[in-house]
């Protein structure tokens, strides 16, 4: 069994991919209470005992002085094969930088990677996975590139790859119905007989993205329609905490069947937000006319926004026949960037629809309020992307374990 520790675990999107490949979780470190509750609920789903669950989910600040002691108390001398995780990325994101007059140079989250490195060097696993937004490649603090600092620290004991063509992965390529590019830095301990490049080369791309020419047997990207059209139509403000599916499973797409595979017939978290009438009208006409927000302002100035500083993408329809745009935690504030493609519904997407577009299976339970659920989903690594990475790593660790 391959043991792993998850740092900055969130609700467990990265972990889910490793669970699916049979890995064993030793510990999760996460500061958000509701994300920790979600992690515990999912561990129960995978038949961890209550005693193990209670001790292995560490709800704490990873920068605390006692983080190694508390982890050691949970690990109990067992081998840590893999460490996974990604420090919070707001200070590296284009959205965060755009909103901060100092380009977020003073944000303490810029250096949370140091806590990751401290734990990595303490346990020295065979492999690590470090996930972040693509903004980390260009972000600077005091005129120094954060990425260079991260690479320097991560490569002390590990072989890593820094070529953006290899380390930037698009979730669309792995069957996720979403265009989501993320930096995935893989590291392999220098005493091992394989490299990070070997692992990257074996992460199998199964789908081609919009605008790409299909090659090597890749199949077409999964669209929004293929991901969510089995869910009941709703008007704004409608929905129930638990309800039934709109389609029988034998009428579903391959992706929908995969999401429903292990679920009962109860559909959870499919409740539409309440919206003011002007937003509903914006949603409907943009979806019907296939307009972006600038076109709406040009052709229907009466639907303009009272706030002068409204970005071009402040209102955005997720089109039926394309993957969705990147699901973000901002969803907890409003759903204006995630308008449902059916103009008859005139609403933003629900928690379950967001989870589907992130490739969380329907039996995945998110704890906390709807606000907390949207935060968890938007901050997560898509489980199908995580599983592709976990499968590749397993292909190198398992043969090594058999030899030793």
């Amino acid at each position: 069994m391959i043991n792993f520790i998850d740092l900055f675990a969130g609700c467990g999107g990265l972990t889910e991919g490793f669970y699916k490949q049979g890995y064993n979780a030793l510990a999760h470190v996460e500061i958000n209470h509701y994300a920790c509750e979600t992690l515990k609920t999912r561990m129960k789903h995978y038949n961890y005992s209550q005693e193990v669950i209670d001790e292995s989910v560490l709800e704490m600040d990873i920068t605390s002085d006692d983080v190694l002691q508390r982890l050691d108390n949970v690990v109990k001398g067992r081998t840590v094969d893999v460490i996974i995780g990604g420090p919070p990325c707001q200070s590296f994101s284009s959205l965060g930088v755009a909103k901060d007059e100092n380009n977020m140079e003073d944000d303490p989250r810029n250096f949370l990677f140091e806590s990751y490195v401290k734990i990595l060097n303490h346990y020295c696993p065979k492999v690590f996975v470090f996930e972040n937004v693509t903004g980390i490649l260009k972000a600077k603090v005091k005129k120094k590139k954060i990425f260079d600092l991260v690479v320097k620290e991560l490569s002390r004991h590990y072989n890593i790859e820094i070529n953006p063509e290899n380390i930037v992965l698009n979730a669309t390529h792995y069957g996720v119905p979403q265009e989501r590019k993320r930096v995935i830095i893989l590291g392999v301990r220098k005493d091992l007989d394989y490299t990070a490049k070997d692992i990257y080369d074996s992460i199998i791309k199964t789908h081609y993205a919009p605008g790409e020419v299909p090659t090597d047997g890749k199949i077409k990207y999964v669209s929004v329609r293929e991901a969510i059209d089995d869910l009941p139509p709703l008007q704004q403000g409608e929905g129930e905490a638990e309800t039934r599916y709109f389609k029988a499973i034998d009428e579903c797409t391959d992706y929908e069947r995969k999401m429903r595979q292990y679920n009962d017939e109860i559909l959870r978290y499919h409740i539409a937000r309440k919206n003011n009438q002007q937003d509903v009208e914006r949603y409907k006409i943009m979806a019907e006319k296939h307009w972006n927000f600038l076109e709406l302002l040009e052709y229907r100035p009466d639907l303009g926004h009272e706030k002068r500083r409204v970005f071009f993408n402040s209102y955005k329809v997720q089109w039926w026949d394309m993957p969705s745009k990147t699901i973000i935690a901002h969803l907890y504030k409003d759903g204006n960037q995630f308008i449902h493609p059916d103009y008859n519904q005139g609403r933003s997407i629900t928690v379950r629809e967001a989870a589907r577009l992130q490739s969380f299976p329907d039996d995945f339970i998110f704890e906390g309020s709807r606000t907390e659920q949207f935060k968890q989903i938007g901050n997560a690594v898509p489980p199908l992307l995580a599983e592709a990475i976990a499968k590749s790593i397993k292909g190198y660790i398992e043969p090594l374990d058999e030899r030793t």
Side-chain angles (χ1 to χ4, degrees), residues 103-115:
N103 289 331
M104 303 197 82
E105 284 201 0
D106 300 326
D107 196 310
R109 291 172 297 191
N110 285 323
F111 295 101
L112 279 174
F113 76 88
E114 293 175 343
S115 297

Side-chain angles (χ1 to χ4, degrees), residues 77-126:
R78 290 173 289 181
T79 299
V80 178
D81 297 297
V82 183
I83 286 180
I84 65 176
C89 58
Q90 287 89 338
S91 53
F92 306 140
S93 73
S94 57
L95 185 62
V97 170
K99 289 187 173 182
D100 187 88
E101 60 184 18
N102 294 320
N103 289 331
M104 303 197 82
E105 284 201 0
D106 300 326
D107 196 310
R109 291 172 297 191
N110 285 323
F111 295 101
L112 279 174
F113 76 88
E114 293 175 343
S115 297
Y116 183 105
V117 171
K118 180 172 78 171
I119 296 167
L120 178 70
N121 290 338
H122 180 71
Y123 289 109
C124 292
K126 299 178 181 74

Side-chain angles (χ1 to χ4, degrees), residues 5 7 26-29 55-56 58 60 65-80 83 118-124:
I5 292 174
L7 308 177
L26 297 181
H28 305 276
V29 181
E55 70 177 12
S56 63
L58 301 178
M60 67 179 298
D65 292 338
D66 64 344
V67 65
L68 291 178
Q69 180 184 338
R70 291 186 62 182
L71 277 168
D72 281 344
N73 291 341
V74 174
V75 173
K76 300 173 182 176
R78 290 173 289 181
T79 299
V80 178
I83 286 180
K118 180 172 78 171
I119 296 167
L120 178 70
N121 290 338
H122 180 71
Y123 289 109
C124 292

Side-chain angles (χ1 to χ4, degrees), residues 45 139 163 322:
H45 170 84
N163 184 346
M322 298 288 286

